[in-house]
């Protein structure tokens, strides 16, 4: 039986498609590239976020098409009580994602506000803010996405894609936090010490009062940028 019911060539193509997406996404999200564009073409910065999102969608499309094109026999499927549990968790994750949108600046996340206001600053414009979900996990969208991915029935191409997605979330969250430390310094470092990155842990979280105190905290550290977050509350 073929590994994951895929040929070696198919495995290489799927991994390469996800790797391309991860490399392009991380490079275009990097502070280094943003600063370089801001120095050389400041008049184009208002379009940076819009272009970033468009490029992300374009580079994601091949991977999604491969999942559809090479769909095969299931390696495992959730049945019986497992079906109710897996789909219940997936629905809860979708509900959590929809609910979390109320705490995000959608116009800033999409890049519409930067374009409308002709914003040329390198950093994103959201202030340091800890939403309810961010009290329990530093990257809630990544966590919710992982729940939705790993509660699905798995064939070979989707399992391989799930592994690639999970690996990118782990690496991407670390790269994102480098920027957040630049933006917020000691305040974000304190937050990171108290809250886990991708998976909530009962013994590591912030109470509402602790989150409010941290948001008000004055670390006395000079920041290279005004307080901001990458398009959403303390998260990539």
């Amino acid at each position: 039986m073929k590994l994951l019911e895929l040929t070696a060539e198919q495995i290489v193509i799927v991994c390469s498609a996800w790797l391309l997406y991860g490399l392009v996404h991380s490079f275009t999200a990097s502070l280094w590239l943003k600063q370089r564009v801001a120095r050389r073409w400041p008049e184009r910065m208002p379009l940076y976020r819009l272009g970033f999102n468009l490029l992300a969608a374009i580079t994601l499309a091949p991977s999604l098409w491969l999942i559809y094109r090479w769909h095969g026999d299931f390696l495992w499927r959730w049945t019986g009580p497992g079906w109710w549990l897996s789909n219940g968790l997936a629905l809860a994750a979708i509900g959590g994602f929809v609910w979390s949108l109320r705490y995000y600046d959608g116009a800033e996340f999409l890049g519409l506000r930067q374009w409308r206001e002709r914003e040329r600053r390198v950093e994103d414009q959201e202030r340091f803010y800890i939403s309810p979900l961010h009290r329990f996990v530093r990257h809630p969208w990544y966590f919710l996405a992982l729940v939705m991915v790993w509660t699905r029935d798995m064939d070979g191409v989707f399992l391989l894609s799930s592994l690639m997605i999970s690996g990118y979330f782990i690496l991407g969250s670390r790269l994102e936090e480098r920027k957040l430390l630049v933006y917020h310094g000691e305040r974000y470092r304190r937050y990171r010490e108290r809250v886990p990155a991708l998976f909530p842990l009962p013994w590591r979280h912030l109470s509402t009062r602790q989150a409010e105190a941290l948001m008000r905290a004055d670390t006395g550290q000079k920041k290279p940028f005004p307080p901001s977050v990458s398009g959403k509350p303390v998260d990539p």
Side-chain angles (χ1 to χ4, degrees):
M1 184 174 67
K2 299 175 183 177
L3 180 64
L4 300 179
E5 296 296 332
L6 297 172
T7 66
E9 181 181 10
Q10 288 174 322
I11 291 175
V12 170
I13 292 174
V14 172
C15 291
S16 298
W18 282 111
L19 184 61
L20 174 64
Y21 169 78
L23 289 174
V24 172
H25 191 269
S26 295
F27 179 66
T28 52
S30 68
L31 189 58
W32 177 86
L33 183 60
K34 288 183 178 181
Q35 290 173 333
R36 187 174 182 84
V37 172
R39 285 196 301 266
R40 299 193 62 178
W41 306 285
E43 70 283 356
R44 299 181 184 178
M45 281 305 295
L47 284 171
Y48 192 95
R49 184 75 189 191
L50 281 170
F52 168 81
N53 289 326
L54 178 61
L55 186 59
I58 292 173
T59 54
L60 180 61
S63 298
L64 298 180
W65 183 81
L66 290 174
I67 292 175
Y68 169 78
R69 177 67 178 81
W70 288 338
H71 172 66
D73 295 334
F74 287 109
L75 299 175
W76 75 76
R77 303 188 71 177
W78 299 99
T79 60
W83 185 92
W84 291 98
L85 177 61
S86 62
N87 286 286
L89 289 173
L91 286 174
I94 293 172
F97 176 81
V98 174
W99 177 69
S100 72
L101 292 176
R102 63 189 295 184
Y103 299 100
Y104 287 67
D105 185 340
E108 195 276 342
F109 179 72
L110 293 173
L112 298 175
R113 183 155 64 86
Q114 292 93 317
W115 167 247
R116 183 172 61 247
E117 298 177 2
R118 300 299 189 268
E119 180 59 62
R120 295 188 178 189
R121 283 183 291 175
V122 171
E123 75 281 3
D124 300 307
Q125 308 308 311
E126 286 284 336
R127 64 186 176 88
F128 182 84
Y129 180 73
I130 302 174
S131 76
L133 285 180
H134 284 87
R135 290 170 41 214
F136 299 93
V137 62
R138 299 200 302 271
H139 302 278
W141 280 9
Y142 285 178
F143 166 68
L144 295 173
L146 287 172
V147 171
M148 288 186 279
V149 165
W150 286 103
T151 53
R152 301 302 84 214
D153 298 333
M154 289 287 174
D155 63 1
V157 67
F158 195 73
L159 176 58
L160 183 57
S161 296
S162 299
L163 292 171
M164 295 295 292
I165 291 169
S166 300
Y168 177 70
F169 281 173
I170 294 172
L171 178 59
S173 63
R174 295 179 180 178
L175 294 175
E176 177 66 20
E177 292 199 341
R178 292 182 182 179
K179 292 192 301 181
L180 295 174
L181 284 169
V182 172
Y183 291 158
H184 303 294
E186 182 61 27
R187 186 184 303 188
Y188 190 81
R189 188 173 289 106
R190 293 179 187 176
Y191 169 71
R192 190 172 63 170
E193 290 173 353
R194 296 293 304 274
V195 177
L198 292 176
F199 299 98
L201 300 173
W203 59 91
R204 288 189 63 192
H205 68 277
L206 294 173
S207 67
T208 301
R209 180 175 299 179
Q210 290 170 331
E212 291 174 350
L214 186 56
M215 286 187 287
R216 294 193 305 265
D218 181 5
T219 63
Q221 177 179 340
K222 294 182 179 179
K223 308 295 193 304
F225 305 119
S228 60
V229 178
S230 302
K232 42 191 177 294
V234 291
D235 191 18

